[in-house]
Amino acid sequence: MSVTPAAQPPPQQEPTTLAARFALYQRAGGVITPLLTTLLALFIAGLVVRFTTGASPLDTGRAILDGSGLTWFIPESVMDIRSVAGTYDDWPSEAEARLNAEINLQQTLIFTTTLILTGLAVAFAFRCGLFNIGGQGQFFVGAIVAVAVGAEVSGVGRVLHVPLVLLCAALAGAVWAGIAGILRATVGAHEVITTIMLNWIAYWIGSYLFSLGGPLQSDRSRQVPISNDVQESAKLHVFWGDFQGLHVGFFIAIAALVAFYLILNRTTLGYGVRAVGYNPEAARYGGISVSRNYFLAMAISGLFAGLAGAVDIMGWQYRYGQIDIQQSDIGFAGIAVALLGRNTSIGIFFSALLFGALLTGSNTRNLALPIEPELAGNMTLIVQGLVVLFVAADLVILYLWRFRKRLGLPRREPKAVGS
Amino acid sequence: MADARVDQAAPPVLELRGMTKRFPGVLANDRIDFDLRRGEVHALLGENGAGKSTLMNVLYGLYHPDEGEIRINGKSVAIGSPKEAIEHGIGMVHQHFMLVPVMTVTENIVLASEPRQGGIFLDYDSAAERVRKLSDSFNFAIDPDAKVESITVGQQQRVEILKALYRGADILILDEPTAVLTPQEADELFGILGTLQREGMSIIFITHKLREVLEIAERITVLRRGKKIETVPREGSTQDTLARLMVGREVLLRVDKTAAAPAEPLLTVENLSVVDERGLEAVRGVSFEVRAGEIVGLAGIDGNGQTELIDALTGLMAPENGRVRVGDRDVTTENAHQHLEHGVGHIPEDRQRRGLVLDFTLAENLALHDYRKSPNSYFGWLRPGRIVSAAKSLLKEFDVRGGGPQTRASSLSGGNQQKVVVAREVSRDPRVLIAAQPTRGLDVGAIEFVHRRLVEERDEGRAVLLISLEIDEILSLADRILVIYEGQIVAEYGPDVTEQALGIAMTGGTREGAAA
């Protein structure tokens, strides 16, 4: 600690907005807190496993790691799978294990792709001081439009069809989120409420469209509430793997991360969004329209979520149905991704990878043996919930800590004054 | 003045020896010695950040010192919490009152030390009686049953003092007590302090206002950058000598300016009415003009429509009625952005809430109005290099210390933050400069800087409208003075009006009343 003669305790201003509070948190915690948050969440999830099934948390963790395919990066470790006692009756050959890891990794990255985009949808609004809970609905709208344009439009060729579907789905997401943005900007309706309502509207619109006899229901299997497959020309190229391999949507997500960074930090649009996010009153004083930025930030958020829906459809699902709508929660997972990733590009990449790995590694196929299937399927949800809880609690802890510091209270050693 | 009330020979009631307090990276108090005699008013004088409040917070048990000794009546004591400070007879009145607005004066005073009947029920009547006796004995004129929210700020301050007396304080610490008061209320406070002094109370008076110090303190201890510079008696001290001790160099207290040479009107306001957020008419039919090359001061007590007037003049709030012109252009219905474009500069009242985005860097803050324009951006793409280099030269020109273009605004001291705001507004070359409380919370050095800059802007032919709650500031800067009271301009004066007359007009007395 360097002691300067300037007797100027750093001025402590109370952060007022969500974004400003988060910026403070980010500065105070750095990269350590997200890591600790993750470890703590995993640890508690391990305890849950221990006390509900009696299985060893370490074995479970190892099984999740293997199941996620991340071990593929370390070839020697692939065969360590045998060290997990009693996992398999017939040991797979080395080649089989390696192939298994490869397939798992592809699934992890497919999830990561979607999570990056839904995470960005939350993060962008967040930087404008808005809490976009509507990623799920915007994702639905994107997926529905992608199915419609991808399946019903034909004969345009891949070069046109793919960008057309992506564009339509992204715009649909933008419109969906933009509704909440306009409502916030004009009548002040809170975006948390309106986006949740829009989620349900999207949910039921989709359920209707894919229902038996509905406008988008399949021509071939009339008994199943599901859409037609998208045309071959609307499918994204799969560049790695034969069984549901990794598609080029992965690079679209990476490009979106870069775009997110550039828009926020290098454009006048991003300047306005951040200014409003940190201090709407100062932005207004500075001649920046707060309402306009609320709308734009929401619309751009929706753009990312709509893109997520399109990439999911075009990359590996190829069709969408009522069951998919009922089971999907990848839009909500974006909230945890954004929070854990601190609303930054790099952070979102890693937290999306973490949640992608958890989703793949903890699905019943990979975890069925060490622990019960019901619990296995919910492991991700447990970790996800804990992460959101901890990030929120961290803010509280940080506040208490700052409060102590502001009062100059010692940690626990009241020093004697005088002799 | 050798005061008979102060017993020079007796041991001091309070002695601080070698008090040292460190904050991360900062030495807030560096081996400070201080003593307080019985029955004296001892002023603690220093610029913002000199370490006055830190020292008193240590004494009051809010901070723990790293080194040093506190002696009360010659005995060494350890003060670990405000509760212990109160037990040692120390009372503190903070700058921001710690009162519950919906409770009565009595309830506030007895809070946490309520007299109880049978150990359970609050014995309100006897408490009120004690408060009344205490209040009467010092001529406080406080109704013990009044709700705190219904009494004036000056009275609330007296409630805080009563609270300390009620708890048996004989050492009273007042932290910048006049910051929230009107001049008349400040005079009343000084009267009260005189009474307390006669009753044997010892008072520590924290301030950075030189005039007050000379008015009421027997001795003055000056702090600068965490160190004690000197303790001087009032006799022989002048504002100039104190300012030099405080700042460490010669300071120009009088603003050096020539007579104004007003030219054509640049800001014309006609019959302007503004309705505030609650739907009340806050500005009621105001008309005035500000000419090129003059500073017009708008004096008034806080809450008489100044805020709404400023908002209407800068496009932040649409007026209900009337017209505003900048030069020949009618800007009445234009928004904040258009005002900025048409030559209105605005130094806002609250630099942290409005003037700066605290989480932005200084460079980003300096570009707040013009980030969309070349050379700061190009077809929607920011050019960080240009923004930073422009910021670098502005920060140098305006002598902003404590950080460079990439420093976050939040980490600067208040004075330097204000310099950033002034730099941004002035550098845009506005025709009309609206300066709202431009020196609020600043220390002498920074005030001098801002004042000099405002006069320079005037001399360059801008129309400057200065809105201030500080009579001193208005008197030393303005070429023409308007007084606003309850949303109307009630008086207009030349630069040589007396403080007395201005004070009366500000509280609603007429010009005739002021002359009488």
Side-chain angles (χ1 to χ4, degrees):
Chain A
M1 186 186 81
S2 72
V3 172
T4 65
Q8 196 80 272
Q12 302 274 10
Q13 287 96 19
E14 288 304 322
T16 43
T17 69
L18 204 60
R21 255 163 47 206
F22 216 86
L24 167 89
Y25 176 48
Q26 211 170 321
R27 282 204 299 281
V31 75
I32 306 297
T33 35
L35 283 178
L36 282 179
T37 306
T38 311
L39 288 177
L40 198 57
L42 290 173
F43 175 73
I44 292 179
L47 289 184
V48 172
V49 167
R50 176 84 216 169
F51 288 112
T52 52
T53 68
S56 152
L58 275 182
D59 288 351
T60 314
R62 183 60 215 253
I64 292 177
L65 187 63
D66 287 330
S68 73
L70 289 176
T71 46
W72 181 83
F73 291 107
I74 316 155
E76 312 82 67
S77 74
V78 171
M79 287 311 290
D80 286 358
I81 205 158
R82 294 178 174 175
S83 64
V84 184
T87 304
Y88 292 96
D89 293 332
D90 320 310
W91 298 128
S93 72
E94 186 160 345
E96 280 171 338
R98 182 111 185 100
L99 181 66
N100 203 32
E102 187 180 310
I103 292 172
N104 284 338
L105 181 60
Q106 287 154 5
Q107 307 319 304
T108 290
L109 292 178
I110 287 173
F111 279 131
T112 303
T113 300
T114 319
L115 285 168
I116 287 173
L117 290 167
T118 53
L120 288 176
V122 177
F124 198 86
F126 215 111
R127 296 294 286 268
C128 195
L130 301 169
F131 205 173
N132 178 16
I133 310 281
Q136 188 65 53
Q138 294 142 26
F139 173 90
F140 284 149
V141 172
I144 293 165
V145 169
V147 163
V149 180
E152 309 303 326
V153 178
S154 57
V156 283
R158 194 170 215 167
V159 184
L160 270 179
H161 207 178
V162 166
L164 180 73
V165 178
L166 288 174
L167 186 72
C168 291
L171 284 179
V175 167
W176 209 247
I179 295 172
I182 286 180
L183 288 173
R184 173 70 198 263
T186 51
V187 296
H190 202 279
E191 73 280 0
V192 168
I193 309 291
T194 53
T195 52
I196 290 176
M197 291 163 104
L198 285 163
N199 282 347
W200 285 106
I201 297 173
Y203 179 100
W204 288 110
I205 288 178
S207 299
Y208 159 72
L209 290 173
F210 301 126
S211 63
L212 299 183
L216 285 180
Q217 200 234 336
S218 170
D219 312 323
R220 270 159 288 170
S221 40
R222 311 264 359 158
Q223 311 316 316
V224 192
I226 199 164
S227 74
N228 282 324
D229 280 18
V230 295
Q231 310 277 342
E232 277 304 314
S233 57
K235 289 182 181 172
L236 291 174
H237 174 63
V238 173
F239 66 93
W240 186 31
D242 305 317
F243 165 77
Q244 197 171 295
L246 186 58
H247 53 83
V248 293
F250 182 68
F251 298 111
I252 295 177
I254 300 293
L257 284 173
V258 176
F260 173 88
Y261 175 84
L262 289 178
I263 292 173
L264 271 180
N265 297 299
R266 288 282 182 273
T267 68
T268 53
L269 169 72
Y271 181 102
V273 164
R274 284 184 297 133
V276 171
Y278 285 138
N279 186 345
E281 184 56 30
R284 201 168 78 88
Y285 150 83
I288 299 170
S289 163
V290 175
S291 351
R292 181 170 170 271
N293 278 291
Y294 278 159
F295 168 70
L296 284 175
M298 280 308 282
I300 291 171
S301 278
L303 212 67
F304 287 123
L307 210 52
V311 163
D312 245 17
I313 297 298
M314 301 161 76
W316 65 284
Q317 300 216 62
Y318 304 138
R319 67 193 74 88
Y320 217 53
Q322 277 187 351
I323 298 280
D324 298 308
I325 288 182
Q326 284 159 18
Q327 291 185 339
S328 177
D329 60 359
I330 201 125
F332 290 120
I335 297 170
V337 168
L339 286 178
L340 188 63
R342 300 290 182 269
N343 300 308
T344 62
S345 286
I346 293 180
I348 287 172
F349 174 79
F350 283 108
S351 66
L353 186 63
L354 170 75
F355 280 107
L358 276 172
L359 274 172
T360 316
S362 68
N363 76 16
T364 23
R365 182 168 56 83
N366 291 317
L367 262 192
L369 287 163
I371 62 173
E372 289 166 39
E374 290 76 19
L375 183 60
N378 288 317
M379 279 294 284
T380 320
L381 272 181
I382 294 174
V383 174
Q384 193 178 312
L386 287 169
V387 162
V388 174
L389 188 71
F390 288 153
V391 172
D394 274 0
L395 278 173
V396 174
I397 291 164
L398 192 79
Y399 261 114
L400 292 176
W401 180 65
R402 277 186 63 232
F403 187 64
R404 289 188 71 84
K405 228 173 65 170
R406 196 164 60 229
L407 292 182
L409 298 180
R411 278 291 161 82
R412 257 306 68 177
E413 9 72 355
K415 216 176 280 173
V417 181
S419 47
Chain B
M1 177 171 71
D3 203 310
R5 293 178 302 220
V6 180
D7 187 350
Q8 308 275 1
V13 283
L14 172 77
E15 227 182 328
L16 302 179
R17 284 188 193 163
M19 298 306 286
T20 300
K21 176 70 193 169
R22 294 185 194 92
F23 291 108
V26 167
L27 192 52
N29 285 163
D30 186 4
R31 285 162 295 162
I32 292 179
D33 296 327
F34 179 88
D35 68 281
L36 181 68
R37 296 180 192 138
R38 182 165 305 284
E40 84 166 338
V41 174
H42 191 151
L44 201 52
L45 182 69
E47 295 193 288
N48 289 324
K52 309 175 298 250
S53 293
T54 305
L55 185 66
M56 288 303 112
N57 283 334
V58 167
L59 175 58
Y60 197 56
L62 286 166
Y63 291 157
H64 292 250
D66 294 314
E67 284 161 41
E69 185 184 12
I70 300 175
R71 285 168 165 271
I72 290 179
N73 294 320
K75 272 199 306 236
S76 179
V77 296
I79 298 177
S81 68
K83 192 164 164 280
E84 290 173 41
I86 292 166
E87 282 163 10
H88 287 296
I90 300 171
M92 183 158 177
V93 176
H94 295 270
Q95 202 173 344
H96 302 284
F97 303 147
M98 317 232 164
L99 297 172
V100 186
V102 293
M103 286 167 55
T104 67
V105 169
T106 302
E107 283 168 333
N108 266 288
I109 288 173
V110 302
L111 201 67
S113 57
E114 306 93 340
R116 291 172 194 278
Q117 260 175 350
I120 301 169
F121 301 106
L122 171 64
D123 186 359
Y124 183 85
D125 291 335
S126 78
E129 194 44 44
R130 273 191 68 186
V131 170
R132 190 186 306 280
K133 271 190 191 145
L134 207 54
S135 164
D136 289 349
S137 67
F138 293 107
N139 283 326
F140 273 22
I142 297 277
D143 173 8
D145 298 323
K147 288 247 163 65
V148 162
E149 61 191 353
S150 68
I151 61 179
T152 67
V153 173
Q155 288 170 328
Q156 288 178 10
Q157 189 171 56
R158 271 173 262 163
V159 173
E160 282 281 11
I161 295 173
L162 269 181
K163 198 158 85 180
L165 298 177
Y166 183 88
R167 292 175 184 179
D170 53 13
I171 297 171
L172 196 58
I173 307 169
L174 300 168
D175 190 359
E176 306 261 357
T178 57
V180 291
L181 302 182
T182 64
Q184 278 77 6
E185 283 176 326
D187 284 342
E188 287 173 30
L189 172 69
F190 293 163
I192 284 171
L193 294 185
T195 317
L196 292 175
Q197 209 181 349
R198 278 191 294 281
E199 301 290 328
M201 293 279 294
S202 316
I203 297 166
I204 303 175
F205 190 94
I206 306 177
T207 188
H208 62 257
K209 294 183 185 170
L210 302 169
R211 210 164 44 92
E212 292 175 354
V213 166
L214 293 171
E215 201 167 323
I216 66 156
E218 265 89 38
R219 288 191 300 157
I220 301 141
T221 292
V222 182
L223 301 188
R224 191 201 314 151
R225 297 183 175 223
K227 286 199 171 68
K228 174 179 154 178
I229 302 303
E230 215 178 326
T231 298
V232 294
R234 172 169 51 187
E235 302 84 63
S237 298
T238 65
Q239 293 203 17
D240 289 316
T241 59
L242 290 177
R244 193 167 52 233
L245 287 174
M246 210 165 127
V247 184
R249 60 180 166 84
E250 287 295 338
V251 182
L252 221 55
L253 289 176
R254 294 273 156 266
V255 181
D256 201 12
K257 65 178 180 118
T258 54
E264 77 283 5
L266 285 182
L267 176 67
T268 316
V269 179
E270 283 168 25
N271 197 26
L272 190 75
S273 295
V274 187
V275 172
D276 69 11
E277 282 158 356
R278 292 165 300 168
L280 304 173
E281 198 176 34
V283 178
R284 303 185 291 160
V286 163
S287 300
F288 64 91
E289 60 182 29
V290 185
R291 294 168 173 274
E294 71 169 347
I295 297 178
V296 171
L298 186 71
I301 295 168
D302 200 9
N304 274 287
Q306 294 99 321
T307 305
E308 289 78 8
L309 177 64
I310 296 164
D311 281 4
L313 294 182
T314 51
L316 291 166
M317 201 183 243
E320 191 71 4
N321 235 320
R323 294 212 301 164
V324 180
R325 271 182 299 154
V326 172
D328 294 329
R329 190 185 177 90
D330 191 326
V331 295
T332 314
T333 56
E334 297 192 334
N335 64 27
H337 182 63
Q338 288 164 315
H339 275 77
L340 290 164
E341 290 303 296
H342 296 127
V344 178
H346 175 197
I347 299 170
E349 284 182 274
D350 190 334
R351 61 181 159 268
Q352 297 190 347
R353 197 174 70 89
R354 192 175 254 185
L356 294 169
V357 180
L358 291 174
D359 288 292
F360 268 5
T361 64
L362 299 184
E364 284 174 316
N365 269 299
L366 286 167
L368 185 64
H369 299 319
D370 292 324
Y371 71 94
R372 303 181 193 84
K373 281 200 222 147
S374 176
N376 290 336
S377 65
Y378 190 71
F379 290 111
W381 285 90
L382 294 172
R383 301 168 84 184
R386 292 298 188 87
I387 292 174
V388 166
S389 65
K392 206 173 276 172
S393 59
L394 271 180
L395 295 179
K396 197 167 166 221
E397 185 191 339
F398 285 80
D399 190 31
V400 177
R401 293 178 207 176
Q406 308 283 17
T407 310
R408 264 173 221 280
S410 56
S411 64
L412 253 55
S413 68
N416 282 306
Q417 286 180 345
Q418 188 72 347
K419 283 183 186 173
V420 173
V421 174
V422 172
R424 182 181 63 214
E425 299 308 317
V426 166
S427 66
R428 298 184 72 250
D429 205 9
R431 285 194 287 171
V432 175
L433 184 60
I434 295 174
Q437 301 212 56
T439 58
R440 177 156 87 172
L442 301 191
D443 51 48
V444 179
I447 290 174
E448 183 196 15
F449 177 89
V450 171
H451 282 178
R452 206 178 55 224
R453 200 72 213 197
L454 288 178
V455 172
E456 278 172 34
E457 295 309 310
R458 177 199 79 166
D459 292 343
E460 284 182 25
R462 305 190 212 291
V464 180
L465 177 63
L466 169 73
I467 297 102
S468 181
L469 307 176
E470 304 270 350
I471 287 191
D472 284 348
E473 179 160 85
I474 297 269
L475 285 174
S476 59
L477 280 180
D479 302 308
R480 205 145 60 77
I481 299 167
L482 305 173
V483 178
I484 188 167
Y485 176 71
E486 295 192 341
Q488 289 177 316
I489 305 278
V490 293
E492 180 176 343
Y493 298 103
D496 37 16
V497 61
T498 64
E499 192 177 321
Q500 186 74 15
L502 208 51
I504 289 169
M506 279 164 67
T507 50
T510 59
R511 205 195 302 220
E512 289 72 36

